[in-house]
Amino acid sequence: MLIRERMQATHFSSAEQQLVDDILQHNQVLQELTVQQIAQRNFVHPSTLIRVAKKLGFSGWVELKEAFAKEEQYLTGHFQEIDANLPFAPTDGITTIAQKLTRLEQSTLEDTLSLVHHDELNTAKQLLLAADQIKVFGSNANRLISQDFLLKMNRIGKMTSQATPGEAAYESLNMPPKSCAILISYTGENQELRQIAKLLQQEQIPFIAITSIGDNEIARRATCRLNMTTRERLYSKIGNFSINTSVTYLLNLLYCCVFSEHYQANLAHLIKTGALIDKRPSTVAIMEEPPLSDIQIQDSFLPN
């Protein structure tokens, strides 16, 4: 749930409600004012600001003020020229549809990148590097998206699997101590994944939540979180275009972070195994592989 939504759903006293209404209507103005100035503006005691912040789950006014400013900045940034739910109109021709879909993909990537925070990403990287086993949990659509991530991770020796539909909760309880999970949920309130998050936390298995912005149960239980773009409604839309693009990007980002830790060794391993296994012919010059002797990698990783 977004902070704005929590403000609208929370019960406040009349004085507190007056302050909340002012925050919702004049957030940019209030960002520049001190606690005393905001209190005077709303004819309330400064302690009212602290009470409102705590009712919304924050330690104090400054934390609420900063979090709300970041949320509003995100919601008003990007996606100004494209609708994530209805990216094209019924009167658009196929060329226009192609152009608008490209614009949607670009906006989604920029939007997702704006939500990536160094410390959270680094924590996720370290969890994956330390894990002997990685398991991905998600809904039907997210299971399909994560297939490519599983393939890439396994090819560099990071044993990654996907939870079995109907058995996911049982599998979460059977994960070995030195393992890590990834939970993918747009709402963060999927009933099955909420149960899995609780079980993983109970068993002290660290997990990464890939979820929307705002507060949700899966994010609260996660060891760290990566936020996906949060622009789509649940079902009144043409398709999950921005969600799918955002999840794919974040999984690719995780893979790249893991890959980069042993860059030369991983690259050499991929080239070695590819040279031994991939015998596909090609009639297009750009696809042709150069002789192994021309590839600048560590000699010790080349096939004999």
Side-chain angles (χ1 to χ4, degrees):
M1 184 179 289
L2 301 178
I3 299 173
R4 176 176 288 272
E5 294 168 342
R6 283 152 61 188
M7 287 180 175
Q8 295 168 339
T10 303
H11 175 72
F12 296 105
S13 68
S14 57
E16 292 167 347
Q17 188 63 56
Q18 180 178 325
L19 172 63
V20 168
D21 291 342
D22 195 24
I23 295 171
L24 291 171
Q25 294 173 21
H26 306 101
N27 176 53
Q28 291 184 335
V29 174
L30 297 182
Q31 289 297 322
E32 308 299 325
L33 302 180
T34 66
V35 169
Q36 292 291 342
Q37 289 171 327
I38 296 172
Q40 291 174 3
R41 171 190 173 98
N42 287 277
F43 305 101
V44 297
H45 192 275
S47 62
T48 305
L49 280 70
I50 299 174
R51 288 200 304 273
V52 166
K54 290 190 173 181
K55 280 190 176 182
L56 293 170
F58 296 92
S59 61
W61 172 255
V62 174
E63 185 182 8
L64 167 60
K65 179 179 175 181
E66 291 177 352
F68 190 56
K70 288 180 181 178
E71 183 179 283
E72 292 294 295
Q73 183 180 17
Y74 169 74
L75 293 173
T76 56
H78 307 297
F79 283 88
Q80 299 304 302
E81 299 178 359
I82 194 78
D83 183 345
N85 298 292
L86 304 172
F88 59 91
T91 55
D92 289 339
I94 57 175
T95 300
T96 301
I97 292 173
Q99 292 169 343
K100 288 186 174 180
L101 187 60
T102 299
R103 198 178 311 150
L104 176 61
E105 297 266 339
Q106 291 171 338
S107 296
T108 298
L109 292 173
E110 292 170 356
D111 198 58
T112 307
L113 179 59
S114 73
L115 295 172
V116 174
H117 299 290
H118 174 274
D119 290 351
E120 293 286 304
L121 180 59
N122 187 58
T123 298
K125 171 186 174 180
Q126 298 307 322
L127 290 176
L128 295 176
L129 287 172
D132 291 335
Q133 181 186 119
I134 301 163
K135 191 175 288 288
V136 179
F137 298 84
S139 63
N140 289 334
N142 291 326
R143 279 196 291 268
L144 292 173
I145 295 171
S146 62
Q147 285 292 330
D148 183 62
F149 173 73
L150 304 180
L151 183 149
K152 291 198 290 281
M153 291 288 280
N154 285 319
R155 285 191 176 182
I156 61 171
K158 291 300 296 183
M159 295 300 99
T160 307
S161 62
Q162 194 169 74
T164 307
E167 291 294 312
Y170 294 98
E171 291 179 8
S172 69
L173 284 175
N174 290 323
M175 292 181 69
K178 198 174 180 183
S179 59
C180 174
I182 300 174
L183 271 62
I184 307 173
S185 173
Y186 184 49
T187 64
E189 298 294 347
N190 176 286
Q191 184 175 354
E192 180 185 25
L193 293 178
R194 285 167 57 189
Q195 180 189 26
I196 290 167
K198 184 177 181 179
L199 292 172
L200 290 171
Q201 189 179 48
Q202 173 185 304
E203 297 300 310
Q204 298 184 326
I205 301 296
F207 73 89
I208 303 160
I210 296 181
T211 187
S212 60
I213 67 170
D215 178 59
N216 63 64
E217 184 174 342
I218 290 175
R220 286 196 299 272
R221 295 184 182 277
T223 312
C224 65
R225 71 185 289 180
L226 298 177
N227 289 323
M228 66 175 82
T229 187
T230 310
R231 303 289 179 173
E232 291 183 9
R233 294 187 290 268
L234 292 181
Y235 56 84
S236 54
K237 55 189 175 183
I238 295 174
N240 296 339
F241 299 120
S242 66
I243 292 175
N244 292 354
T245 297
S246 188
V247 172
T248 299
Y249 169 77
L250 290 172
L251 290 175
N252 281 337
L253 181 57
L254 288 175
Y255 167 73
C256 289
C257 289
V258 171
F259 188 99
S260 68
E261 185 71 10
H262 303 289
Y263 187 100
Q264 291 295 341
N266 285 327
L267 179 59
H269 177 71
L270 289 180
I271 293 173
K272 174 182 177 180
T273 54
L276 291 171
I277 298 169
D278 195 342
K279 304 298 183 181
R280 290 173 295 172
S282 171
T283 58
V284 181
I286 197 170
M287 297 183 191
E288 293 180 0
E289 289 286 351
L292 285 178
S293 59
D294 293 344
I295 302 176
Q296 300 300 312
I297 60 173
Q298 298 175 15
D299 292 340
S300 60
F301 290 93
L302 290 172
N304 295 326

